[in-house]
Amino acid sequence: MVNIVYAAPYAAPVPDNIRRWGGITHRWTGWDGSTWDLSDVEGGVFLLNEGLEGLGMPDITNYTHDSPVVHGVSWDGWLATGRKVFWSVAVFHDTDSEGWIARHRAFWKTLRPGKAGVWSVELPTGEKFSLTLRFKSDGGHSYTNDPVHRGWEVYGIELFPEQPFWEAPAVVESWGAEEKVPFLGPDGAAPPFFPSPAATLSTAKVTNPGDVETFIQWTITGPTETVTVGIGSARTVVPFPVPDGSKLVIDTNPRNLIAELDGVDVMERLSEFNYSPLPPGEGIALSLSRSGPGAVEARFTPLMLMGV
């Protein structure tokens, strides 16, 4: 009798240095709310690595001036003027022509002119960045085969952002009234007095982990009598009360300058308004003061030069 023993084939162990490498997860969220995992080959719509543009540095314009008596130029500053984004996107369906047509139309619906979607990336480190994009061109795409018949087509898609920096998750810091502990004096005869957490406000600092400056959106929740918010000497002063339960939102982003109390414009009621940017770095001192027990919140989005 011959005894036959079946065993699994030998598999060589994966070296540790290979285990350490992971890839980028790409997602596209269309203006219609649909989400597409562009890293999932089995999902039917995915990015090809060839020719991928947009993860690197934005387009930079340097401003200089020259002199008739000094060689060279003097540097005055720079601006990120845009960013080219190019995708090679495969759209396929392996069931039937009707399925390919439905998937094709659903994806291209997210790229309507005049509408914006969000390209999100997640790195193996867990870091997440996003870029809001608009459709620009398909390069005058031509079909060399019938895509409905074969259920497969690759497109070269060019997009562009209005804001050229990659956005990290928002940072939110808040300073509210501390727990009220009444101070009644040595004999307990004095009327209740609640010490203010002014020291916390006066020493408020934030860290901007981004690569470039960004802008703060302030939210003041009543009740407050007067409030001052800002960065260094650039202050915004609210000289009027914010009632209990009301919210005053002050956005210092030059693209969206607003001051609204419960949705009503109050910009003209501010005695001072400054919208200086928050520079990148740690421990940036803020200028905060408040009368009343309400809360002050600072929200800002760190901006990154690159998506990796």
Side-chain angles (χ1 to χ4, degrees):
M1 176 183 294
V2 178
N3 295 322
I4 300 176
V5 178
Y6 294 93
Y10 172 76
V14 179
D16 287 342
N17 65 328
I18 294 180
R19 296 179 191 274
R20 297 192 190 106
W21 294 95
I24 303 174
T25 299
H26 300 265
R27 290 185 175 84
W28 169 247
T29 302
W31 63 269
D32 58 351
S34 63
T35 300
W36 303 76
D37 186 346
L38 300 181
S39 298
D40 181 12
V41 177
E42 301 298 326
V45 178
F46 61 92
L47 279 178
L48 303 177
N49 289 327
E50 294 82 0
L52 178 62
E53 296 184 57
L55 290 173
M57 295 287 285
D59 299 328
I60 302 296
T61 296
N62 286 283
Y63 294 93
T64 63
H65 69 273
D66 56 15
S67 168
V69 296
V70 178
H71 297 291
V73 296
S74 296
W75 183 80
D76 297 319
W78 67 277
L79 284 176
T81 55
R83 177 185 294 273
K84 182 180 179 181
V85 176
F86 182 83
W87 293 348
S88 290
V89 177
V91 181
F92 83 94
H93 199 286
D94 57 3
T95 302
D96 52 38
S97 296
E98 290 78 6
W100 186 87
I101 292 172
R103 179 171 293 168
H104 181 264
R105 287 178 177 172
F107 173 68
W108 276 95
K109 180 182 177 182
T110 70
L111 297 171
R112 296 285 168 81
K115 303 288 187 179
V118 178
W119 177 18
S120 303
V121 298
E122 182 174 355
L123 307 183
T125 57
E127 296 170 286
K128 298 179 181 179
F129 306 119
S130 63
L131 192 65
T132 300
L133 299 173
R134 295 179 182 274
F135 175 77
K136 183 175 181 179
S137 172
D138 70 351
H141 183 80
S142 61
Y143 296 90
T144 57
N145 293 283
D146 182 349
V148 176
H149 181 262
R150 70 173 183 167
W152 179 278
E153 189 67 18
V154 176
Y155 293 93
I157 301 174
E158 188 174 351
L159 306 104
F160 73 96
E162 295 176 70
Q163 192 282 101
F165 302 114
W166 283 89
E167 298 183 355
V171 174
V172 181
E173 300 283 354
S174 61
W175 301 266
E178 296 177 349
E179 181 180 359
K180 293 184 177 181
V181 179
F183 175 72
L184 302 177
D187 57 2
F193 169 70
F194 302 102
S196 169
T200 302
L201 288 170
S202 64
T203 59
K205 296 180 179 181
V206 296
T207 293
N208 175 10
D211 295 324
V212 296
E213 68 275 5
T214 188
F215 292 89
I216 295 179
Q217 177 180 284
W218 303 97
T219 299
I220 300 160
T221 303
T224 61
E225 294 300 321
T226 60
V227 176
T228 298
V229 296
I231 306 167
S233 61
R235 306 182 306 163
T236 294
V237 179
V238 182
F240 53 85
V242 176
D244 189 10
S246 292
K247 287 189 176 183
L248 172 63
V249 177
I250 300 173
D251 196 337
T252 63
N253 189 331
R255 293 175 177 269
N256 186 44
L257 293 176
I258 62 168
E260 294 181 346
L261 178 60
D262 294 333
V264 178
D265 181 21
V266 292
M267 182 72 77
E268 294 184 356
R269 296 175 60 186
L270 302 176
S271 57
E272 291 183 48
F273 181 63
N274 288 281
Y275 49 94
S276 293
L278 177 69
E282 298 182 0
I284 302 166
L286 303 179
S287 296
L288 303 182
S289 65
R290 175 201 62 205
S291 62
V296 176
E297 176 187 279
R299 174 186 291 266
F300 59 90
T301 300
L303 302 177
M304 320 302 291
L305 287 166
M306 303 176 74
V308 293

